[in-house]
Amino acid sequence: MQRLQYEASWDKALPAKDREIIEGVFQETKLSGNQAVAFTPLWQAMNYKGELLVTVIVHNFTDNPFSFQMEPIRYVENSELVAANEFTIPALTIEAETSMPWAFIFPVVSLKTQPALEDGRLEWINAY
């Protein structure tokens, strides 16, 4: 059965309002469909450095732990490629049958066009 888990620093710093949103989205999306690993969008923003931050719930529906090791991920809005980057996140391992919120940070050099920050989604180029 899928469970929601927070990375330790998120668990300490996450405002109650955001936690409530994440938990509501998790309840709506915790069933696998046909994907082993899936992203459910939460929100996106630009930071003061001009980097794109895309926050999602990463669902690991498999029976094995999963971590990001040089994984090519892109951010798309309305079928248009906005950003693409390769992610290695050594501190993040998502246990089997676990979902976890995470923010992917796309550096300025990875942006292909200016994001509208609406109707966006992450796509894993080499899906698990």
Side-chain angles (χ1 to χ4, degrees):
M1 175 180 243
Q2 200 71 14
R3 67 185 179 95
L4 181 62
Q5 180 179 343
Y6 295 93
E7 188 270 335
S9 64
W10 276 64
D11 202 23
K12 289 181 187 176
L14 193 63
K17 181 180 177 185
D18 289 348
R19 187 179 300 267
E20 187 176 312
I21 291 168
I22 290 167
E23 290 175 3
V25 171
F26 169 73
Q27 290 301 322
E28 295 173 8
T29 61
K30 65 182 179 179
L31 301 177
S32 73
N34 293 332
Q35 293 180 296
V37 176
F39 301 118
T40 298
L42 291 169
W43 49 80
Q44 53 275 328
M46 301 296 290
N47 70 11
Y48 70 97
K49 296 179 185 177
E51 298 167 320
L52 173 63
L53 286 72
V54 180
T55 305
V56 298
I57 298 175
V58 181
H59 301 281
N60 178 4
F61 294 116
T62 72
D63 295 330
N64 301 305
F66 173 78
S67 61
F68 290 89
Q69 301 296 324
M70 298 187 68
E71 302 296 339
I73 296 174
R74 59 185 173 197
Y75 175 71
V76 175
E77 291 178 340
N78 299 314
S79 301
E80 182 180 351
L81 176 63
V82 175
N85 197 37
E86 211 169 70
F87 289 90
T88 296
I89 310 170
L92 178 67
T93 297
I94 302 172
E95 296 302 322
E97 298 180 341
T98 299
S99 298
M100 182 179 289
W102 193 258
F104 290 85
I105 302 172
F106 289 85
V108 173
V109 297
S110 71
L111 298 177
K112 310 299 182 196
T113 186
Q114 187 64 31
L117 305 176
E118 295 178 2
D119 300 319
R121 70 181 185 282
L122 288 185
E123 294 178 349
W124 187 6
I125 298 169
N126 296 326
Y128 191 77

